[in-house]
Amino acid sequence: MRAPVDGFVYDLQVHTIGGIITSGATVMSVVPKSGDLIVEVHRDRESIRRGRLQLGRPTKTRLPSSCRH
């Protein structure tokens, strides 16, 4: 099995060697290594009013390693 991009595997659904995968099933998700990762974030209006966030501007974000979708 090959992914269409180089990246990091997460949310692996199959853990058995030789296991059967049904048609259309999600086996894993891949986060691409290259390019920007675009994230939709919901923040309170006060953070925007205080100038900590600006629409369309890049920002740094930390996610816990146990983050699940």
Side-chain angles (χ1 to χ4, degrees), residues 2-69:
R2 291 180 185 255
V5 294
D6 288 337
F8 302 96
V9 172
Y10 78 99
D11 197 26
L12 187 60
Q13 299 291 315
V14 179
H15 301 280
T16 307
I17 295 173
I20 297 172
I21 303 168
T22 59
S23 176
T26 299
V27 177
M28 71 186 83
S29 297
V30 178
V31 176
K33 280 185 186 178
S34 61
D36 294 333
L37 179 62
I38 298 173
V39 182
E40 181 177 323
V41 178
H42 299 273
R43 288 298 309 230
D44 59 291
R45 291 180 188 264
E46 193 60 31
S47 293
I48 297 168
R49 271 192 222 122
R50 290 183 185 164
R52 286 187 255 164
L53 295 174
Q54 293 180 354
L55 184 62
R57 299 280 306 183
T59 186
K60 292 184 179 180
T61 304
R62 293 184 190 181
L63 299 174
S65 60
S66 61
C67 182
R68 295 283 179 181
H69 52 83

